[in-house]
Amino acid sequence: GDSVTQTEGQVALSEEDFLTIHCNYSASGYPALFWYVQYPGEGPQFLFRASRDKEKGSSRGFEATYDKGTTSFHLRKASVQESDSAVYYCALGINNYAQGLTFGLGTRVSVFP
Amino acid sequence: GPKVLQIPSHQIIDMGQMVTLNCDPVSNHLYFYWYKQILGQQMEFLVNFYNGKVMEKSKLFKDQFSVERPDGSYFTLKIQPTALEDSAVYFCASSPWDWGGYEQYFGPGTRLTVL
């Protein structure tokens, strides 16, 4: 079945550091890829998506590029702030109908002042 | 942005009892979902629902589970009877489109504890 692997379980950074979270996927079809962010006490919030190879998604300074060749969708941000502390989820959905999303385990990002 | 509400936020029940989890989806959304997340594990899809019918369900969606949305009110997940392994956070989500590449909006979750 489809799967999403996030390499980092936890990341600790200082403000203004560069953030990278690695996401690799395995899917039988041609998936759409998503990043969601979850703050304490809330459900996951949509950050952005990409639907085809080489498409870049971005929001709030975060970005990721769909790479079909390496089956990856790594999340990056050039300069993190304390308010970016949250859990980040990579997810995939099949494009052609409203199937449930397949999530990675999540990466807990802690940013210290 | 659009908000999905879930009631209650916490529920504690004894094994074997029935529980109903309620979701108030975004008002113009057409597709509804339930996900289950056990502490420390990934969020997993349970079921999706459209036009009064279950469209797809995962192997986690046991016979003891049922969903409905009577007359456009709450979208509910009922578990009857509950088992210890049903303890988890249950997230409801909704989406306006039938295209899987479109984002889903999630509620804050209901933490279910089965004793």
Side-chain angles (χ1 to χ4, degrees), chain B residues 48-61:
Chain B
N48 63 5
F49 190 85
Y50 167 73
N51 198 26
K53 291 194 288 280
V54 170
M55 303 300 290
E56 183 199 11
K57 54 187 180 181
S58 74
K59 61 181 185 301
L60 295 180
F61 194 79

Side-chain angles (χ1 to χ4, degrees), chain A residues 13-90:
Chain A
L13 300 163
S14 300
E15 282 193 320
E16 299 182 17
D17 278 353
F18 193 98
L19 169 69
T20 300
I21 301 174
H22 295 94
C23 171
N24 288 90
Y25 70 90
S26 172
S28 51
Y30 197 146
L33 301 172
F34 301 80
W35 278 101
Y36 280 80
V37 57
Q38 185 177 28
Y39 300 100
E42 299 181 12
Q45 286 179 26
F46 171 77
L47 200 51
F48 57 81
R49 72 172 180 273
S51 303
R52 55 189 179 276
D53 192 24
K54 302 295 183 280
E55 180 180 357
K56 183 165 88 171
S58 64
S59 175
R60 308 185 216 173
F62 293 91
E63 62 178 43
T65 300
Y66 192 137
D67 190 329
K68 195 163 181 285
T70 58
T71 60
S72 66
F73 193 55
H74 305 319
L75 181 69
R76 295 185 167 91
K77 185 174 186 183
S79 176
V80 293
Q81 302 300 311
E82 194 175 359
S83 56
D84 294 323
S85 296
V87 179
Y88 293 80
Y89 292 97
C90 185

